[in-house]
Amino acid sequence: MVRNRASRRALLPVWRPWLVALFLMSASGQASQEESAKPFSLDQIAAQFPSQGFEDEIAFWTRVFTFYSETQVVFHDRDDLRIIYKTADMRRGIRGDYPEARRQRKLLRSTRSDLQKTLLEISRHGPNSDRLDGKQLEVVETVRSAGLKPTKELFRRLSTGVRYQRGVRDKFLEGLIRSGRYLQRIEQVFRSYDLPVELALMPHVESSFDYSAYSKVGAAGIWQFMRSTGRRFLTINRYIDERRDPLMATDAAARYLRELHQELGSWPLAVTAYNHGENGMARAKRQFGHDFRRIVDNYKSRLFGFASKNFYPELLAAIEVARNYKDYFGDVEIDRPRQFDTVALKHSYHVSVIQKAGGLDREVLKSFNPHLTRYVWERSRQVPAGFQLRLPQGSGHGVEQALVRYKPSRSPLTVAADGSMLYRVRRGNTLGQIASNFGTSVRTLQRWNGIKNPHSIRVGELLVVSRAPGQQVRQESRYRVRSGDSLASIARRFRTTVRQLLALNSLENPNRIFPGQLLVVLPR
């Protein structure tokens, strides 16, 4: 639905807003969540993050973040967030309670259906009809108070856009508290790449700074990297998943956002591309230029839905709330920055040995090393040699000295100095089995290790099974699609496969590429 932006602006005001050495904090220029002498306003960052034209969306998400609790559900219009029909009080939250979540979902869908019927009835009789009942008249007044002129056609369109949104005040506050553990270091990463420090607050929208976050579609960590995108910047295999490490993942997010901004030319487009995908935003930019308001109102794509359209204004609202959190939540005790020691393991050790050496509880050890996977903690229970083990501050030297007294485990894995992972071939191993265990292909292992015959590996041979992310990035090439190209012809040119190109570029349809589109290619 196309809206009159000029009238809306008249109604509402503009809303106000790795390497450990890298994280040594300087006294000057550090952003802090402490109250500053001058209140933060979104106007202060408008040159890079314009908010004009998104006042309604920012106001809506600010209330979702700060006013509505997780037991409150708001019924609203999908396209015009000024229209809030009603708020349902569900009395109980649903986190971790799947039966209750199913019960509430059924009830909420029924309520939405009733609202749609009400809107259709108003459309049929007309908003001024004396045949409307009290509930229908109340809906008409809600639409009118949003600054819209009620018409039959308007209510017909509104009937297809009813949506409900659960409040996240409790969740946002929890995320605000958790953010203190790493936020200063996260901000320093963005400064090191000369990127806007406000981007450090994106995890409020992505994950609420939940360091164990894992979505139903497979996105992991506070930056919610999908496996396909994460592998471009991070080590991800059976043993190590750096998406789950807040510092490693932040470095990856900063590089990815820098890349998106260089390609798309503005932060509204780059931030949205982080959520929606680079190719989709490149297509939108070709059609509508840099005007993100025009893109939101007019760009049509099956994948460019409510979440993608609202990701940027959600971020603006999160920035405003996080910077002025005392205005919304009062005095809050933010978690203190997490300090730690790092020990490079000279040998592989069983998890229980590391616990004994440091007198550490397993959950504490896991919280400091979230990038070690469940397979390590529950199956192999071995931390590979070369792994940079994080420990509570002050315990590193003692643990390092104590480990000398313990017998190393016989793990076949070693983490090389450059971050690559090495595997020592055991009796009975095949290259196919090894490739499957580490989420790669036989041909890739052959290329990395100079193996001509995949059936000729030897027991005791040391194989590279996971390349360091920096090496992966350097091996990548970029190709700009030309007229007459197909994904198959590009795959042949770079001696790769259509399937790999689809995965590397998050493409769904091999027939939908366009001239000028930039593709990541990884030659075999």
Side-chain angles (χ1 to χ4, degrees), residues 9 17 26 49 96 132 176 195 210 220 224 241 255 270 312 315-316 321 371 402 421 466 486 488 498 520:
R9 286 194 284 270
S26 61
F49 299 95
L132 301 183
L176 185 69
L195 297 175
D210 182 349
Q224 288 291 281
D241 187 347
R255 286 186 284 143
Y312 176 68
L315 173 61
L316 294 182
V321 172
H371 44 313
M421 183 166 279
S466 178
S486 67
V498 169
V520 175

Side-chain angles (χ1 to χ4, degrees), residues 100-229:
E100 179 64 17
R102 286 195 296 269
R103 185 191 74 81
Q104 290 191 19
R105 184 163 55 246
K106 183 177 179 179
L107 179 61
L108 292 169
R109 286 175 176 174
S110 175
T111 302
R112 181 179 62 190
S113 179
D114 289 343
L115 258 172
Q116 290 170 329
K117 291 175 183 177
T118 297
L119 291 164
L120 283 172
E121 281 294 302
I122 297 170
S123 173
R124 188 161 68 90
H125 297 303
N128 300 313
S129 172
D130 56 7
R131 300 175 63 181
L132 301 183
D133 60 25
K135 182 172 68 172
Q136 293 165 345
L137 289 171
E138 189 175 318
V139 170
V140 172
E141 185 54 36
T142 295
V143 171
R144 184 178 284 114
S145 65
L148 301 174
K149 183 179 179 180
T151 65
K152 286 186 175 184
E153 177 60 23
L154 172 62
F155 281 96
R156 187 190 67 78
R157 292 201 306 269
L158 292 177
S159 69
T160 65
V162 180
R163 185 184 178 276
Y164 55 84
Q165 172 67 48
R166 188 177 293 273
V168 296
R169 174 184 167 87
D170 320 77
K171 194 174 179 180
F172 195 97
L173 178 56
E174 292 166 8
L176 185 69
I177 293 169
R178 284 191 296 260
S179 69
R181 299 181 203 172
Y182 293 103
L183 185 57
Q184 288 186 0
R185 297 181 183 227
I186 291 172
E187 291 177 335
Q188 188 64 18
V189 170
F190 280 94
R191 289 193 183 94
S192 73
Y193 285 105
D194 197 25
L195 297 175
V197 73
E198 288 76 21
L199 294 170
L201 297 172
M202 272 179 60
H204 278 302
V205 180
E206 285 284 2
S207 63
S208 296
F209 278 90
D210 182 349
Y211 303 107
S212 62
Y214 198 90
S215 79
K216 60 184 179 182
V217 296
I222 63 170
W223 290 97
Q224 288 291 281
F225 272 110
M226 294 294 290
R227 186 176 291 264
S228 57
T229 305

Side-chain angles (χ1 to χ4, degrees), residues 98 118 129 141 167 229 261 265 276 334 337 363 375 409 416 419 478:
Y98 298 108
T118 297
S129 172
E141 185 54 36
T229 305
H261 185 261
H276 175 67
I334 307 296
E363 291 306 311
Y375 182 84
S409 65
R478 292 298 187 101

